[in-house]
C-alpha cells in the first residue's frame, strides 16, 4: 500500500536584543501526517512556537487530527560532549476529544557528524487499560554522494514497531519543502487508522508511505 502526503512549512525568528532570547514560529500543512512510522491523519494543519535562551529551549507544536487537536510541549538543554552537539529534554504529547491517550517521555540525542542518534526513554503511554512504558530509538545517516538522509526507528518495551524513512529537504522562497519515503512494520502500535470512525478500515501497518515537506 502506498500513501502520499504533502507538507509545507514557513518560519520566522524574532530576537530579543536585551535578554539574548530568540523566538521562532512555524506553520505548515500535511496532506498526510505520520510520526515515528505511525499514521495520524490524512491531512493536518500545524503550527508551533519555540523559545531559545542560551542553552535552554522550550516550545509547543499543535496539529489538527481527526478528532480534535494534538498539542505537544517540550523543553530541554543543548550542550556539547567531547565536541559533539547533544541535547537532553522532555516532551509531552497530548490530545483533545479522545483522539489518543497522552504520551510523556524524556529524550536525548547526539550529532556525530556521520550520523545523528535520538533516544526517547522513561516514556509513559496513558492508555485506558493502564499506563504502558515505552522507549524509542532512531538513527539517521546521510546517504553518501546525495542530499538524502536514511532513518531507522524502533519502539521498545510495551509499544512495538519499527520504520525506515528516506528523506530530502530544501528551502524554496523561504519555505521549507522536502520529501520522505517510509515503510513501517506489521506490528506497529498507535493511532494508525485511516478513517477512525470506520471500523472496517485496515490498520495502516506494513505500509509504504510518502510525505512531501
Amino acid at each position: 500500500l502506498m500513501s502520499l502526503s504533502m507538507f509545507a512549512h514557513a518560519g520566522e525568528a524574532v530576537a530579543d536584543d536585551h535578554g539574548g532570547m530568540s523566538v521562532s514560529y512555524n506553520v505548515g500543512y500535511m496532506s498526510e501526517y505520520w510520526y515515528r512510522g505511525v499514521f495520524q491523519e490524512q491531512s493536518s494543519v500545524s503550527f508551533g512556537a519555540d523559545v531559545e535562551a542560551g542553552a535552554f529551549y522550550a516550545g509547543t507544536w499543535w496539529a489538527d487530527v481527526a478528532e480534535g487537536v494534538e498539542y505537544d510541549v517540550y523543553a530541554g538543554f543543548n550542550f556539547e560532549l567531547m565536541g559533539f552537539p547533544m541535547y537532553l529534554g522532555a516532551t509531552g504529547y497530548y490530545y483533545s476529544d479522545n483522539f489518543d491517550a497522552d504520551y510523556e517521555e524524556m529524550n536525548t540525542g547526539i550529532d556525530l557528524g556521520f550520523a545523528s542518534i535520538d533516544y526517547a526513554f522513561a516514556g509513559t503511554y496513558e492508555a485506558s487499560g493502564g499506563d504502558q512504558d515505552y522507549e524509542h530509538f532512531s538513527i539517521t545517516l546521510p546517504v553518501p554522494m546525495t542530499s538524502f538522509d536514511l532513518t531507522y526507528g524502533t519502539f521498545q518495551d510495551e509499544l512495538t514497531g519499527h520504520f525506515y524513512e528516506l528523506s530530502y529537504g530544501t528551502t524554496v522562497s523561504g519555505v521549507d519543502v522536502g520529501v520522505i519515503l517510509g515503510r513501517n512494520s506489521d506490528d506497529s502500535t498507535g493511532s494508525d487508522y485511516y478513517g477512525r470512525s470506520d471500523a472496517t478500515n485496515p490498520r495502516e501497518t506494513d505500509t509504504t508511505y510518502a510525505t512531501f515537506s
Side-chain angles (χ1 to χ4, degrees):
L1 174 62
M2 170 71 79
S3 59
L4 189 63
S5 62
M6 298 184 64
F7 171 79
H9 170 280
E12 179 179 336
V14 180
D16 181 349
D17 294 334
H18 300 286
M21 179 181 297
S22 65
V23 180
S24 62
Y25 70 88
N26 59 80
V27 294
Y29 170 77
M30 296 172 285
S31 61
E32 283 193 356
Y33 171 22
W34 293 76
Y35 182 62
R36 291 176 174 171
V38 177
F39 177 76
Q40 304 292 325
E41 184 49 67
Q42 294 188 67
S43 64
S44 179
V45 176
S46 64
F47 68 92
D50 296 275
V51 176
E52 292 189 21
F56 173 78
Y57 67 86
T60 184
W61 187 83
W62 296 61
D64 73 298
V65 287
E67 300 168 6
V69 175
E70 173 190 346
Y71 52 101
D72 306 338
V73 292
Y74 47 87
F77 292 90
N78 295 306
F79 59 97
E80 287 193 358
L81 179 64
M82 300 179 62
F84 295 109
M86 295 189 65
Y87 71 89
L88 176 64
T91 304
Y93 308 87
Y94 306 105
Y95 305 87
S96 67
D97 299 332
N98 297 316
F99 172 79
D100 196 0
D102 296 336
Y103 300 76
E104 294 177 336
E105 66 186 35
M106 300 292 293
N107 39 59
T108 187
I110 184 171
D111 185 351
L112 299 172
F114 65 90
S116 60
I117 298 172
D118 296 280
Y119 175 52
F121 60 98
T124 301
Y125 172 57
E126 300 177 358
S128 58
D131 291 352
Q132 299 182 14
D133 298 328
Y134 72 90
E135 299 177 359
H136 186 271
F137 170 86
S138 66
I139 182 170
T140 299
L141 303 167
V143 180
M145 308 298 291
T146 75
S147 299
F148 288 84
D149 293 321
L150 179 64
T151 299
Y152 170 76
T154 181
F155 282 99
Q156 303 293 332
D157 213 337
E158 295 180 87
L159 299 185
T160 62
H162 63 267
F163 67 92
Y164 301 88
E165 290 184 345
L166 182 67
S167 61
Y168 169 82
T170 188
T171 301
V172 179
S173 300
V175 177
D176 296 333
V177 296
V179 60
I180 297 174
L181 178 65
R183 185 170 183 84
N184 63 7
S185 60
D186 59 7
D187 63 342
S188 295
T189 59
S191 302
D192 50 358
Y193 288 91
Y194 272 114
R196 293 170 60 88
S197 62
D198 183 355
T200 64
N201 283 332
R203 290 171 58 87
E204 291 306 307
T205 58
D206 195 19
T207 299
T208 300
Y209 56 92
T211 304
F212 292 90
S213 58

